[in-house]
Amino acid sequence: PRSAFRREFSVPIERFQDHEATERLRRLVRPFILRRHKRDPTVIQDLPDKFEQKVFCNLTREQATLYEAIVQSGMSALPAGENGVAMQRRGLVLAMLTRLKQVCNHPALFLGDGSEIGQRSGKLNRLTEMLEEILEVGERALIFTQYAQMGYILQNHLQDTFGQEVLFLHGGTPQRHRERMLDRFQNGSDAPSIFVLSLKAGGTGLNLMRANHVIHFDRWWNPAVENQATDRAHRIGQSR
């Protein structure tokens, strides 16, 4: 019964860190659990090496101007003094950081005005160059962003640039469409080479090892979330 489980295991383990109860529970459930870690010798032999690289990009003149304006405006809005304003300062700083991240992605994301994409973002320009090299050798890429609107910008820009379909999976994608999109990318003979995903919607539970490049267009505050997203491609079955 639940009451017995709570008395024998939950309370001793969670509240008192009882190692004996922990070991007893582990012995009971072990026969029913099959789990493999990538660090296990039998698994790591089946996976190719994962190479990680940070790519640094310069801001365009427009981005730099917006960036400086946001910093100046944000700093002048911060309340002076320490009494009772810590939470207010924290909220203003976090809001400023969010706006700065959006500017670094693309001015159109920050402005939200539906303006043309053009050559306005150093990061997007560099991404386009990287994808040119990837497509030239017939390989596939996943691109993660935390902003759904940035995903639409990427999808439209890359489709126009390369003249081919680009998939985009986000939190609002209907389940049926989502499954069809994933199956097509993984198994379809006509599968697009570029798959844009929002980090929250596509960061866990997917097998997309047909891609052998994973690009994080913007960074998440928790590296573990980024690692989980990268592992959509770095899985058993990946050979490149």
Side-chain angles (χ1 to χ4, degrees):
R2 183 175 181 178
S3 59
F5 182 83
R6 178 173 172 75
R7 184 180 63 252
E8 295 291 327
F9 297 108
S10 295
V11 172
I13 293 172
E14 295 174 11
R15 190 173 300 172
F16 303 110
Q17 289 77 52
D18 187 324
H19 295 294
E20 184 180 338
T22 302
E23 187 55 38
R24 195 154 22 101
L25 179 61
R26 185 179 288 119
R27 285 199 303 271
L28 287 169
V29 302
R30 183 178 291 144
F32 307 102
I33 295 178
L34 174 63
R35 187 180 185 191
R36 298 193 299 179
H37 296 275
K38 287 183 179 174
R39 60 179 177 270
D40 291 345
T42 55
V43 176
I44 200 68
Q45 292 176 6
D46 294 334
L47 277 172
D49 291 334
K50 179 170 66 174
F51 299 99
E52 299 186 52
Q53 180 183 6
K54 290 187 175 117
V55 180
F56 296 94
C57 312
N58 292 322
L59 300 175
T60 61
R61 185 184 297 274
E62 180 186 9
Q63 284 178 300
T65 302
L66 286 169
Y67 195 103
E68 180 63 22
I70 292 169
V71 171
Q72 295 298 333
S73 173
M75 295 303 291
S76 64
L78 290 178
E82 299 294 333
N83 296 328
V85 295
M87 289 300 294
Q88 183 184 357
R89 289 172 62 88
R90 188 175 302 162
L92 288 170
V93 169
L94 287 175
M96 181 170 63
L97 288 173
T98 298
R99 292 194 292 269
L100 293 174
K101 287 181 72 172
Q102 291 173 337
V103 166
C104 287
N105 273 8
H106 198 286
L109 175 64
F110 168 69
L111 297 171
D113 57 359
S115 53
E116 64 178 40
I117 306 305
Q119 299 290 309
R120 301 166 62 193
S121 166
K123 190 188 288 191
L124 185 56
N125 294 343
R126 184 69 186 99
L127 172 71
T128 305
E129 293 172 357
M130 293 166 64
L131 289 173
E132 284 176 354
E133 298 170 5
I134 290 170
L135 296 178
E136 193 173 315
V137 292
E139 298 183 338
R140 287 182 163 86
L142 309 181
I143 305 172
F144 285 97
T145 174
Q146 63 176 297
Y147 301 105
Q149 191 55 44
M150 190 66 226
Y152 286 115
I153 292 173
L154 288 170
Q155 182 185 37
N156 293 332
H157 171 73
L158 297 175
Q159 285 182 155
D160 291 343
T161 300
F162 297 112
Q164 60 178 264
E165 182 184 6
V166 173
L167 299 174
F168 176 35
L169 173 66
H170 55 88
T173 306
Q175 184 65 27
R176 184 182 301 177
H177 188 193
R178 171 190 173 102
E179 291 176 359
R180 187 163 60 244
M181 194 186 305
L182 296 172
D183 181 66
R184 183 179 168 208
F185 183 82
Q186 191 64 11
N187 303 307
S189 58
D190 63 339
S193 300
I194 303 171
F195 199 164
V196 179
L197 307 97
S198 72
L199 194 61
K200 288 186 178 179
T204 57
L206 305 180
N207 295 313
L208 296 169
M209 56 273 186
R210 197 172 183 185
N212 60 313
H213 298 272
V214 177
I215 300 170
H216 292 278
F217 191 75
D218 41 63
R219 304 303 306 274
W220 188 247
W221 62 270
N222 183 353
V225 174
E226 292 184 341
N227 291 338
Q228 285 182 328
T230 301
D231 286 346
R232 299 312 95 211
H234 192 238
R235 304 180 72 76
I236 298 297
Q238 178 60 263
S239 59
R240 291 168 294 174

